[in-house]
Amino acid sequence: MGSTVRKDILEKVAIDLLSIPPLIFREIRRKLIKTALADIHVDITPLHFEILSLLEKEGKLHVAEIGEKLHVARAQMTHLIDKLTDLNTVERKTDIVDRRTINITLTDQGRAFLEEHKGKLVHTAIETMSRLTDQELEDLANTL
């Protein structure tokens, strides 16, 4: 397999691995995220990063929707969102249609944080998978 083809497959597999539903590869994703974010000086956990990524993808979500999509208990979600609010990466906004509903959205600082650190995450996944043989890498790409 050529170097360019392998590099392209590694990047595709890294991105696919990071987009798999949380129940299937949650532990793998958390370890990759933890490794990628180890050198930043912000008190953020892999689960915080997953919330930010989900909000980037979905736009705005209610706390219960975030918890449901990530399979996190509602009581834990409140603490996670409070932390992200304190870091100014998300904000709570009253829903325009139903003022009783509070939605969570990314702030500009949250978007900037994701943009800055997603590259590190993909690089960490690529570095981890680069240990695979060409056949293992092709099998993984086909499986994903």
Side-chain angles (χ1 to χ4, degrees):
M1 179 184 311
S3 175
T4 304
V5 172
R6 181 176 172 82
K7 182 180 176 189
D8 290 345
I9 291 175
L10 276 169
E11 187 166 337
K12 179 188 178 311
V13 171
I15 291 168
D16 286 346
L17 267 176
L18 297 170
S19 66
I20 291 175
L23 279 180
I24 298 172
F25 282 108
R26 171 166 243 138
E27 195 59 32
I28 292 170
R29 286 175 21 156
R30 282 190 176 169
K31 285 182 181 182
L32 286 172
I33 292 168
K34 187 174 185 175
T35 300
L37 301 180
D39 64 339
I40 67 167
H41 303 295
V42 177
D43 185 21
I44 190 167
T45 67
L47 194 49
H48 288 117
F49 194 85
E50 287 184 49
I51 292 168
L52 294 174
S53 297
L54 179 63
L55 289 170
E56 178 184 46
K57 179 181 174 186
E58 299 287 333
K60 65 178 180 180
L61 292 170
H62 184 272
V63 173
E65 292 173 313
I66 297 170
E68 184 178 307
K69 289 180 182 288
L70 296 178
H71 306 281
V72 176
R74 185 177 174 96
Q76 186 181 4
M77 284 304 305
T78 301
H79 297 291
L80 292 165
I81 298 300
D82 285 347
K83 176 66 175 185
L84 291 172
T85 301
D86 290 346
L87 292 171
N88 196 31
T89 54
V90 302
E91 60 186 345
R92 292 177 168 95
K93 289 188 173 181
T94 304
D95 191 276
I96 296 169
V97 176
D98 182 356
R99 292 179 30 173
R100 297 171 296 171
T101 301
I102 304 295
N103 291 310
I104 309 302
T105 61
L106 277 178
T107 62
D108 289 340
Q109 189 170 329
R111 280 184 198 81
F113 179 86
L114 281 173
E115 189 172 315
E116 179 182 349
H117 297 293
K118 262 191 176 176
K120 290 179 186 177
L121 190 56
V122 170
H123 176 74
T124 300
I126 288 171
E127 194 174 282
T128 301
M129 290 180 302
S130 66
R131 298 179 194 126
L132 299 174
T133 66
D134 290 350
Q135 185 60 53
E136 290 169 334
L137 186 58
E138 281 188 51
D139 291 345
L140 181 58
N142 291 332
T143 301
L144 292 173

